[in-house]
Structures are given as C-alpha cells and as structure tokens.
Amino acid sequence: MTLRVLLVGTLALILAGGLPLTKAQAAGEIFIPLLVYRTGPYAPNGIPIANGAADYFTLVNERDGGINGVKITFEECEDQYDTKQGVECYERLKAKSPVLVNPYSTGITYQLIPRAPVDKVVVHSMGYGMTASADGRWFPWVFNFPMTYWSQASAFVKYVALQEGGMDKLKGKKIAHIYHNSPYGKEANPTLEELARRHAFELTLLAVDHPGQEQKATWLQIRRLNPDWIYISGWGVMNQVAVKEAAAIGFKMDRVVGNWWTGTEVDVIPAGDAAKGYKSMNFNAPGAGFKVHQDINKFLYDKGKGAGRRDGIGEVLYNRMVVNAMLNVEAIRTAMTKYGNKPLTGEQVRWGFENLDITEKRLEELGMKGMMRPLRVTCDNHEGNGLAFVQQWDGKKWNIVSDWIEPIRDVVRPKLEAAAVDEAKKLNYTMRDCAKEK
Amino acid sequence: MVDVVYAVLVAPFKDMAGSPAFLVEVLIGGVFAGLMYSLVALGFVLIFKASGVFNFAQGVMVLFAALTLVGLLERGVPVVLALALTTAVMVALAFAIERFVLRPLVNQEHIILFMATIGLNFFLEGFGEMLWGANVKKLDIGIPDRSFVVRGVQINELELTAAVTAALLVTLLAMFFQKTRIGRALRAVADDHEAALSIGIPLKTIWVVVWSVAGVVAIVAGLMWGAKSGVQFSLSLIALKALPVLILGGFESVPGAIVGGLIIGIGEKVGEVYWGPLVGGAIENWFAYVLALAFLLARPQGLFGEKIIERV
C-alpha cells in the first residue's frame, strides 16, 4: 500500500464518519455538557443540582483519575430553566462533541429527544421528561431511569394503600392531585385516573397555573373537598406556596405528599415549623452521611475545589444529581467493558446506558450503599427497575419513613408502551427488535 | 346543549346558594388576594401618575426590597432597624434612578423611558442576586400565619394583616396625593412636565420623591408576598398579577388600583372555584385578563383612569 493510498483511505474514512475523532477524544477525554440554572426564578432548585454534577465529575477526576483513566471534561451553560435557552446551550456545546446530556427540564428534554439520534447524544432525563420514552424499543437514545412519573404516581397510591391498611381500603377514599398546569404537572394524571378506576377512590384534579404564587382558589376547593390525601406535582415557588397553604388551612401535613420534585429543603423553608410532617416521594436518600460525601469533602472541599457551599452537601437535589452523575459515569464505564478504556462515541456510550447494571456491591464500592437501590437497564426498559420511598420533613431535615416501594408495574408498563407508540409515530420512528441487539 | 347551559348558567349559582358560608369564604379569599395585587399595582400607579412612565421594573423593586430586608434580618439586624435601613436603600435607589436613568432621558418619548425601566429591571434582578444570593429565604417579621373560623368561614391571619395594611397604605397615599402640596405637584408633573417646570415645580425632586414612595410601597408588597411564599426570585413575577388590576382600575388612579384589585381578586376566585372545574381548572390567571379586557371595552381608560381628549 502506497502512502498516497493510505492517506486517501484515511481521509475517506474520516469523511464517512468512520473515525469521528472529536476535540475531547483527541485530548483523551470525555465531554459532558451541563445545562444549569444557577440564576432566575428556579435557581434555588438549580444550584444544588449544578453543584452535585460538578462535584461528582470532579471527584471522579481527582480521586480516580477519571473513568478508567479517561478524564471527564464538562462545561456549564446557564439556561435559567428556559426551554429556548436550554436548546441554545445544547446546540452551542454540541460543537464539543458530547456523548450524553442531562437536560434537567422536561421542556428541554422534549426538544432534545428528536435531536438525540441525529446528533448521537444520549439524553438521560432522570425521573422527568417524557414517560413514554422509557420504552427503549422506540426510543433507543433516551433514558429516564430509575423511575418515571407514572411509576412514581403508582408508588404514591401504593403508599396511601399501605397507610390505609391495604389496596381494598382505597375504596371511597378521596385523593386530590394538585399539579403544575404544564405537561410536567399533568404527567401523573392518566396513571392516577386509571388507578382511581381500578380501586374506586375518588380523584380530584386541581391545576395551578405557572408560577403558582397565588393558589387561594385551589386551597379553597381543598377545604370544601376535604380529601383524605393530597398529592402535589409542583416546581419552584408553587411548592413553597402549596406547603404553606396546606399548613395555613390546618390540613394534616402527614397526609400531604409531594412528588420527588416537590420535596426539597427549599420547599419547606418558608412555612417554617408549620411544614413539619410534610412528606414527599424520592428515589435517592437525603443527608450527607454516605461515604461518597466523605470523599467529596476530602478530595474537593478540603482542597477548595468544591462547586458550592459545604453545607449544601447532602441536600435532596444535590444528592439526586450526585446519583445522576454516578449513573452517567457507570454507564460510560459499562461501555468501556466492550469498547475499551478510551474516549468513547455517543453510540458506544448509548450501549453502556442500555447495559447498565448497578448492583448492591457496586453501590457499596461507590460509597453509595443505601443512597439508591440497585438498578438494571435493558434494551426495552429504559426506566429500569427503580423503586421509590417516602420521606418526611421533621422541621430540620428529611427522614425516610417508608420502605422502598415497588411501582404498580402491571398498570404502568402497558400504558407506557401504548404511549410510546403514539409518541414515536409523531417522530416517524420505527420499533427495533431488542432480541437482535446485544 | 341544555346540559352545557345548565352547567354554565345554573349549576354554579345553585352551588353558591347551597353553601353560602363557602361562598363567603371564596369572596373573602378574593378580597384578600385582590388587596395583595393592589399593593403591587400601587407602585406602578404612583410612577405612571407622576411621570407617565410604565415602570417595568416594579416587580423587581418588590423583590429587591424584600431581599434587602430579609438579608438584613438574616444578619441579626432588629426588625425595626432593618425596615428603616431597607427604606433608606430604596430611597437611595430612587436617587440613583433619577440621576443615572431618568435625568439623561428627560423629554424623551415615553417609550424610551419604558425601555430604560426594562434595563433597570434586569440590572436590579442581577444585582439583587449577586448581593443576596438566589436561595429561598424565610421572611418572619412576626405576622402570624394561622387561620381562625368565624361562623364556618375560615380566615387567615396573614391575609387579614395584609388586607388591613393595604387599606391603610391606600388611604395614606390618597391623602398624600389630594391633600399635600407635594402631592399636587406630583399630579401637575404628571399632566405636563414643561408646564410644571414653568411654574417652578422641581422635576428632579418630584421624580426622586415618587420613586421613593414607590420603593416604600414595594417594601410593603415585598413584606406581604414574601411572608406568603418566602423571599425568592419568583417574587418579581407578581407584577403579572398587577397588570389586569391596572388595566381595570386605570394606570393613574390610586383608588382604581384598589377597586381594580378587589374586582380582579373576587372575580378570579369565584371564576376558578365555580366555573374552573368545567374546563379543567387553572383559569384564574387568564380569567383576570378577560375580566379586565371586558371592562376595557366599556371604559378604555379603565374604571378610574382619566379620559384623554386631545385637540387634532
């Protein structure tokens, strides 16, 4: 082979995309963009999330020298939780050849879903986004493990049943769902309606318009309805006002349960002591008592490399993003078992996500035993086998007050698969055969 | 068709008649909410009245005032001193706005001044965040937030306090505009800058006074709304709740801000509770605007706004 043939051949391969050597790859690194909202109305939620991501990725670099020796590079882009700005951020950072993205906004997630297969970037919307995308046969590039909104809603109903003495005791009970009047807020409604039909409880749906600063009319209706349980799907100021209104009308706080985006430290602060007893769903344990936190302190904060305040470590949303970042890292590590310890492409990382298997032993090695449940993702199930629990505010901190709750999967999965067909049709997707993919 | 007519025109009224205590609670809820909107609307009215400028930054001024107050309280400053210091900050802000924003733009079109307040809005938002951080802060100035029941009607102490405060503030402001020399000067400036100047009314002083008073109103609004939801950046969005009040009450009437607030507050609560469920709820935001627009069709200048007649 002459030099000329070699050069032409190499050039042809590059042009054909056969050697997609990116800037990060060329530097021997993996690039992950961080769409953050450290400013604006949603900053109180956005800051711990952004800090959690930056801290965990930095920890992996500082403590372990990267993922199997491959360093992670990341760059924050401020989107103020605004869909338009979030998409702009993604488009800008796309030039750096990311392998995955965590949008941290359902609105941005919906915008990125059609781009993912084109750009070959994995979209990981952990516990948010489009529920239907959990069907990996239709949405190979989107992952929402460890759980979806629908599974969460079913776990909430199961929790209520446990408190009432069994599923049969749900009959005749009154449950109100107060939700943010947005696609996100409405996500749980079909599941709740289906479960209300099956178990004969009375469901009342009460929408609250953005931003939710004024909810008097909603809580007047709650006073009249006098439900047995309230489930809240809120975000931002809606959460704080809802908790305060519930307390102000004297509703039993231990019968008010927020979803996992309605149960953070900032949600209960304005209500003060009146918020005591308020509950919320969660899938990541709160608190700073895990080994991973010790490492974060030792390798980052003791050396002045932490992204935020030391007392922010262990907050609900901080921990959620630490878990999120860990799952990203472990998915890449999984991909490396097949493709080698080197900078990977989006395609290769996607394989890692689809074959992710976080065992109890692995959680212990990561210093996160008890912080989340073991998780297994498959080609057709991008939600994984996650479980949820209920936490309760005691006036100072969140405490776990239930066992891990298995979602009612036989109700959720068929609805999810039907929804996936509908959503995929809109995008002209075809279903793949998972049996053929290994 | 008959069912729809029944659901819209009959059932809600039957519901009201069937449960009068609840109706009273809805109405009281509307009155309290309306007065809270009026508090925000007042700030807009004051500045518009004196300078013809629609102050886009009024919502952020509420936020900035509340952030300053809570920031001082968090640092251990006693409540009374914190309130005094916050007032001083808002007065200083008024001086700065007059010197660096309004004075260079004097005699410019109102749209130019409006654009300047948009700039001011984003500056104050960013500056406030830089100064005090973005976290949600609890505002506790000793106003109780419990509820009590009178003849089956539940009343919230915080909302009652806010309503009384708003009523007091409006009375004071109305007297200020009608009875004091400076109040009359403010109205003269609002009518015609050049004419006011020609009879010796100092424009600069008037602007500082009016922006200071709007700053004080912002403190009160920030106090009440901050106590309700915690002090956070969403506070600036309450300006959106004041807009239908302004459309309805007129941009230059203090009593209009109150009456407008009451109509919007009661209208949106009654609408949401009795008609909202027919369309899936969450109608109160847009219902307030529909209500305001309906009034606007009948009185384009708002309920209390001045009818503008120009020679052509």
Side-chain angles (χ1 to χ4, degrees):
Chain A
M1 191 187 288
T2 64
L3 183 64
R4 191 177 163 189
V5 172
L6 192 67
L7 280 173
V8 171
T10 308
L11 189 65
L13 270 173
I14 290 171
L15 288 174
L19 288 176
L21 203 63
T22 68
K23 278 182 195 169
Q25 285 173 318
E29 294 165 343
I30 283 182
F31 177 70
I32 299 176
L34 300 180
L35 310 186
V36 301
Y37 35 105
R38 289 183 180 276
T39 63
Y42 296 97
N45 299 112
I47 290 169
I49 292 171
N51 289 343
D55 279 353
Y56 192 79
F57 291 139
T58 311
L59 176 70
V60 171
N61 283 341
E62 294 287 320
R63 182 190 60 190
D64 311 332
I67 310 169
N68 296 333
V70 180
K71 291 257 186 186
I72 305 164
T73 54
F74 56 87
E75 184 177 325
E76 289 190 358
C77 182
E78 177 66 40
D79 63 32
Q80 296 210 327
Y81 194 67
D82 175 67
T83 300
K84 211 164 54 212
Q85 291 186 55
V87 174
E88 278 171 22
C89 278
Y90 169 80
E91 289 296 334
R92 186 156 65 77
L93 294 175
K94 202 170 76 180
K96 300 197 170 189
S97 302
V99 290
L100 65 94
V101 62
N102 300 287
Y104 264 91
S105 145
T106 292
I108 299 171
T109 304
Y110 268 79
Q111 293 297 314
L112 298 190
I113 285 173
R115 293 161 206 251
V118 179
D119 298 339
K120 309 285 181 213
V121 175
V122 172
V123 174
H124 184 200
S125 52
M126 192 179 81
Y128 58 93
M130 183 198 288
T131 298
S133 63
D135 189 340
R137 296 170 305 169
W138 290 100
F139 293 91
W141 286 90
V142 189
F143 297 81
N144 44 17
F145 54 78
M147 269 174 93
T148 62
Y149 291 128
W150 295 3
S151 293
Q152 174 182 222
S154 73
F156 158 71
V157 171
K158 216 166 163 182
Y159 174 73
V160 169
L162 283 167
Q163 299 302 300
E164 297 289 353
M167 295 301 277
D168 57 318
K169 298 289 191 300
L170 288 174
K171 191 177 178 184
K173 289 279 179 288
K174 288 192 274 188
I175 298 178
H177 181 212
I178 300 175
Y179 63 95
H180 193 268
N181 195 27
S182 62
Y184 146 64
K186 292 173 186 171
E187 274 282 334
N189 288 347
T191 307
L192 292 172
E193 284 168 333
E194 174 69 28
L195 290 168
R197 270 193 297 275
R198 286 188 181 217
H199 300 288
F201 62 82
E202 191 186 315
L203 176 70
T204 305
L205 303 174
L206 295 168
V208 172
D209 255 339
H210 171 81
Q213 200 108 36
E214 170 55 39
Q215 299 175 25
K216 192 75 198 165
T218 304
W219 291 91
L220 281 165
Q221 291 175 85
I222 287 288
R223 250 195 45 85
R224 180 153 76 157
L225 181 68
N226 194 22
D228 298 289
W229 290 85
I230 297 174
Y231 184 55
I232 306 177
S233 298
W235 188 232
V237 69
M238 177 187 157
N239 293 351
Q240 291 100 48
V241 174
V243 173
K244 211 155 191 293
E245 290 279 5
I249 66 165
F251 200 88
K252 282 184 184 170
M253 292 308 279
D254 61 355
R255 294 199 156 223
V256 187
V257 184
N259 73 6
W260 52 56
W261 301 114
T262 317
T264 69
E265 287 76 7
V266 291
D267 297 332
V268 285
I269 285 170
D273 282 348
K276 276 184 192 171
Y278 172 68
K279 292 174 176 171
S280 86
M281 307 297 291
N282 205 342
F283 54 74
N284 60 271
F290 296 92
K291 165 95 175 27
V292 68
H293 297 122
Q294 290 171 21
D295 286 351
I296 287 170
N297 272 312
K298 182 177 161 189
F299 289 95
L300 307 183
Y301 284 79
D302 289 351
K303 296 176 180 172
K305 293 181 180 175
R309 294 174 293 111
R310 197 187 284 266
D311 61 1
I313 296 172
E315 285 179 359
V316 169
L317 291 180
Y318 178 89
N319 278 7
R320 185 160 306 157
M321 192 61 217
V322 166
V323 165
N324 191 149
M326 176 275 284
L327 293 169
N328 292 168
V329 167
E330 293 310 302
I332 293 169
R333 204 186 301 279
T334 303
M336 285 176 174
T337 61
K338 182 174 180 181
Y339 298 105
N341 298 338
K342 60 180 185 185
L344 303 174
T345 63
E347 285 272 19
Q348 292 165 337
V349 169
R350 197 195 68 75
W351 185 91
F353 268 79
E354 208 148 70
N355 290 275
L356 186 64
D357 185 7
I358 306 283
T359 61
E360 192 77 61
K361 183 169 170 282
R362 183 63 189 147
L363 284 173
E364 190 163 5
E365 289 165 359
L366 292 164
M368 293 190 182
K369 191 183 174 188
M371 203 165 160
M372 67 167 283
R373 288 282 295 173
L375 177 76
R376 183 137 194 243
V377 185
T378 60
C379 170
D380 64 343
N381 182 6
H382 283 193
E383 177 184 16
N385 58 342
L387 307 180
F389 63 83
V390 175
Q391 60 181 12
Q392 187 171 34
W393 182 249
D394 70 4
K396 288 195 174 71
K397 64 180 192 316
W398 290 100
N399 301 296
I400 297 171
V401 293
S402 79
D403 291 331
W404 290 94
I405 305 167
E406 177 93 29
I408 308 174
R409 298 196 199 275
D410 60 330
V411 172
V412 173
R413 185 67 195 185
K415 286 177 74 68
L416 189 151
E417 288 180 2
V421 174
D422 291 343
E423 292 291 344
K425 270 185 193 163
K426 291 180 198 165
L427 296 164
N428 289 324
Y429 285 0
T430 49
M431 191 171 85
R432 64 184 171 141
D433 184 357
C434 280
K436 290 181 184 165
E437 297 210 15
K438 259 294 151 194
Chain B
M1 185 63 190
V2 176
D3 287 349
V4 174
V5 171
Y6 180 83
V8 175
L9 297 178
V10 182
F13 295 104
K14 273 183 77 176
D15 192 1
M16 289 179 201
S19 180
F22 182 67
L23 175 63
V24 171
E25 201 167 310
V26 174
L27 294 175
I28 290 175
V31 168
F32 288 173
L35 287 170
M36 294 281 274
Y37 302 157
S38 300
L39 272 178
V40 185
L42 271 176
F44 284 101
V45 168
L46 288 170
I47 290 173
F48 191 85
K49 202 171 163 66
S51 58
V53 177
F54 180 79
N55 177 23
F56 190 83
Q58 188 62 34
V60 176
M61 279 173 68
V62 172
L63 166 69
F64 190 77
L67 275 175
T68 307
L69 180 67
V70 83
L72 293 167
L73 290 173
E74 279 180 347
R75 281 154 184 79
V77 179
V79 176
V80 178
L81 184 59
L83 278 168
L85 288 172
T86 308
T87 307
V89 168
M90 295 311 285
V91 171
L93 183 68
F95 271 99
I97 290 168
E98 189 280 322
R99 178 66 190 84
F100 299 110
V101 181
L102 301 177
R103 203 187 297 179
L105 296 176
V106 75
N107 283 335
Q108 294 291 328
E109 293 289 331
H110 285 166
I111 187 70
I112 304 292
L113 288 162
F114 172 65
M115 298 306 274
T117 66
I118 293 178
L120 183 65
N121 176 80
F122 288 105
F123 165 71
L124 280 181
E125 199 171 83
F127 185 58
E129 196 160 1
M130 196 176 78
L131 221 54
W132 304 111
N135 275 331
V136 179
K137 296 166 177 67
K138 184 174 188 284
L139 180 56
D140 186 3
I141 50 165
I143 303 172
D145 194 13
R146 290 180 297 271
S147 296
F148 57 93
V149 178
V150 182
R151 297 189 176 198
V153 177
Q154 194 176 58
I155 296 169
N156 181 266
E157 291 178 15
L158 173 65
E159 288 169 358
L160 183 61
T161 311
V164 172
T165 310
L168 274 174
L169 193 66
V170 172
T171 311
L172 284 173
L173 286 172
M175 283 168 62
F176 173 72
F177 272 101
Q178 297 298 329
K179 307 288 181 192
T180 66
R181 192 180 155 82
I182 198 152
R184 281 193 290 273
L186 284 169
R187 284 158 57 204
V189 170
D191 281 347
D192 192 326
H193 288 177
E194 287 177 13
L197 276 169
S198 69
I199 58 165
I201 294 174
L203 196 57
K204 289 181 227 165
T205 314
I206 291 297
W207 274 353
V208 170
V209 169
V210 82
W211 278 80
S212 299
V213 176
V216 172
V217 171
I219 295 173
V220 180
L223 263 176
M224 296 307 158
W225 280 98
K228 199 175 158 76
S229 62
V231 176
Q232 54 180 303
F233 276 77
S234 302
L235 265 187
S236 60
L237 301 177
I238 59 167
L240 296 174
K241 300 298 276 186
L243 283 181
V245 174
L246 292 167
I247 296 170
L248 204 150
F251 280 77
E252 48 204 21
S253 167
V254 172
I258 300 304
V259 177
L262 290 175
I263 293 173
I264 292 293
I266 292 171
E268 68 176 23
K269 298 300 172 247
V270 170
E272 179 70 52
V273 171
Y274 293 101
W275 281 272
L278 297 176
V279 289
I283 66 166
E284 63 179 318
N285 272 2
W286 59 262
F287 186 76
Y289 283 89
V290 171
L291 207 59
L293 287 171
F295 273 87
L296 207 59
L297 289 175
R299 271 187 70 86
Q301 68 274 34
L303 278 179
F304 293 83
E306 288 167 23
K307 200 164 188 172
I308 301 160
I309 301 166
E310 285 185 20
R311 246 178 248 278
V312 288

